[in-house]
Amino acid sequence: MSIVYNIEGPKGSGKSTLIRKMIERGLADQSRGFSGKWEELMTDEIVEQDSSSNLRYVHDRGYLSHFIYAFLMSAEPDFNRVRCNGPKVEIMTWRAANLKMLSDYLDQVDSKMIILYSDYSQILNDRISKRLKEEGKGASEAEWEVLERSNQMYKLMATFMKSVFPDKVLVYRIEEYSSTDLLLDQIIKDSEGGK
């Protein structure tokens, strides 16, 4: 069926909780998360596969996150990744995300890219600490080091992305919503209204 939404934002902004609510409320069937690990990077192949799937996907991060974290964490190209697949040998290379990649990706997203951020980085700190205590899932040392800057970049990129793709991008400051359900209600309303 499709890629329904792409959720972007810094660690602690509520992406995972929002995605769970979207699935619970029947807006999507499944999520696919992307990270900086080679085996969890977004690729054009995966985007094509998900956009033509019988399932409705929500993407947890994507090319925008790849751009932000590669920039902040000083990711270096690694040309030493070789994968053998039977008689076929693949050399995996790193590439920086660019505006054309984002545009092509947004063409595959049926609804919207949603960018979350906070004006108060302490909210993100508190949420990550709470999740670590309750679920054992916190942040890596590298994620803690770039948390405030990543939040700043999402905020700035949200303004930029909204100006370049006004019909495909929705932006939310997380402290404006007292619950994930209220945020999701607003996303549904804005998605239908073309905000």
Side-chain angles (χ1 to χ4, degrees):
M1 286 176 87
S2 64
I3 303 165
V4 187
Y5 289 102
N6 166 228
I7 314 297
E8 299 280 1
K11 192 89 171 172
S13 59
K15 295 179 308 301
S16 298
T17 306
L18 178 60
I19 290 168
R20 276 195 302 272
K21 288 284 184 186
M22 288 178 156
I23 292 170
E24 285 172 13
R25 289 175 59 176
L27 299 172
D29 302 311
Q30 193 168 331
S31 69
R32 185 186 299 273
F34 299 99
S35 75
K37 298 177 186 173
W38 275 100
E39 62 275 9
E40 294 175 4
L41 286 175
M42 175 178 271
T43 65
D44 296 340
E45 192 174 68
I46 291 172
V47 170
E48 183 61 37
Q49 173 188 324
D50 288 356
S51 66
S52 61
S53 170
N54 289 328
L55 298 173
R56 296 169 300 154
Y57 278 94
V58 176
H59 281 175
D60 183 350
R61 299 195 183 280
Y63 290 130
L64 182 60
S65 286
H66 180 63
F67 169 78
I68 288 172
Y69 286 104
F71 180 81
L72 289 175
M73 293 180 167
S74 303
E76 293 293 330
D78 181 351
F79 299 102
N80 299 314
R81 302 284 178 164
V82 177
R83 179 171 56 192
C84 296
N85 184 9
K88 185 167 111 177
V89 176
E90 298 175 64
I91 299 174
M92 299 165 65
T93 62
W94 177 91
R95 66 179 178 162
N98 59 56
L99 194 57
K100 173 80 167 94
M101 288 168 67
L102 286 163
S103 178
D104 290 346
Y105 173 62
L106 286 173
D107 287 343
Q108 300 294 315
V109 176
D110 279 356
S111 189
K112 308 284 183 179
M113 171 188 279
I114 296 164
I115 303 174
L116 306 174
Y117 73 92
S118 176
D119 278 341
Y120 307 99
S121 58
Q122 189 60 46
I123 291 173
L124 305 175
N125 287 318
D126 293 347
R127 285 179 168 196
I128 294 167
S129 297
K130 181 180 177 187
R131 189 170 182 196
L132 177 61
K133 186 177 178 180
E134 292 176 356
E135 302 174 32
K137 296 179 184 177
S140 69
E141 186 177 322
E143 289 171 324
W144 277 114
E145 287 176 13
V146 301
L147 182 62
E148 190 169 336
R149 288 182 179 159
S150 67
N151 185 50
Q152 291 171 351
M153 283 192 73
Y154 279 108
K155 182 178 179 178
L156 294 169
M157 288 301 293
T159 301
F160 173 76
M161 293 293 290
K162 185 70 177 162
S163 71
V164 175
F165 306 105
D167 296 331
K168 292 300 282 187
V169 175
L170 297 173
V171 177
Y172 300 95
R173 208 166 53 106
I174 60 173
E175 56 269 18
E176 292 181 357
Y177 300 90
S178 59
S179 75
T180 304
D181 283 309
L182 290 175
L183 172 58
L184 185 50
D185 289 343
Q186 188 64 51
I187 289 168
I188 294 167
K189 180 180 173 186
D190 294 343
S191 295
E192 292 169 353
K195 178 181 171 187

